[in-house]
Amino acid sequence: MREVESQRLAVLRAMGVLDTPPEAIFDHITRLAAMTFGVPTAVVSLVDADRQWFKSRVGLDATETGRDVAFCDYAIRQEGVMVVLDATADPRFCNNPLVTGALGISFYAGAPLRHAGVAMASITSITPTRRAR
């Protein structure tokens, strides 16, 4: 597992995208995600060693959070879309400060974004309103 994560981080860093200025194409994608899914917040989140950094964000002022609280860390470890209908009732997230704090995440949907076959990031939609499906 450590070797796979080391390789993932090496590919992420080699991409040269971390800590770069906003780009219109990414901003278009996040706006489209927010509109399509009817959520106030959408991000393109790159998962680094100790943080998730938002290449693009709609409805969120923060530019990063710790990886230890990142839903996206779970999303990049899945093959398909990760959906959490009610984070307050999910044992993985119910005590997470992104759920219990000001952001108040309840619904989360994140799809891994891959480069060279390796999950580097996720496109994510979140809202404080839980969803039934």
Side-chain angles (χ1 to χ4, degrees):
M1 181 74 171
R2 275 196 162 137
E3 184 178 324
V4 170
E5 178 63 3
S6 293
Q7 291 172 345
R8 189 190 73 76
L9 290 170
V11 172
L12 174 64
R13 292 190 180 115
M15 289 172 53
V17 178
L18 286 171
D19 301 310
T20 58
E23 295 180 52
I25 187 67
F26 288 101
D27 293 342
H28 177 74
I29 291 167
T30 52
R31 281 193 308 275
L32 185 60
M35 289 179 0
T36 300
F37 296 107
V39 298
T41 306
V43 299
V44 172
S45 172
L46 289 97
V47 181
D48 199 1
D50 297 317
R51 65 181 175 144
Q52 66 176 343
W53 177 75
F54 306 126
K55 175 62 180 167
S56 179
R57 62 196 192 283
V58 171
L60 183 67
D61 291 331
T63 58
E64 65 182 58
T65 71
R67 186 172 177 175
D68 60 325
V69 298
F71 284 56
C72 298
D73 185 42
Y74 288 82
I76 66 166
R77 292 188 257 149
Q78 300 202 37
E79 289 300 314
V81 176
M82 182 179 102
V83 176
V84 178
L85 297 173
D86 182 0
T88 66
D90 188 310
R92 295 171 296 178
F93 304 113
C94 63
N95 295 314
N96 185 312
L98 300 177
V99 175
T100 61
L103 190 55
I105 295 173
S106 185
F107 172 80
Y108 171 96
L113 301 175
R114 299 181 188 285
H115 177 73
V118 180
M120 300 285 118
S122 68
I123 176 72
T124 300
S125 299
I126 60 177
T127 182
T129 307
R130 69 178 148 247
R131 302 244 170 127
R133 209 21 132 179

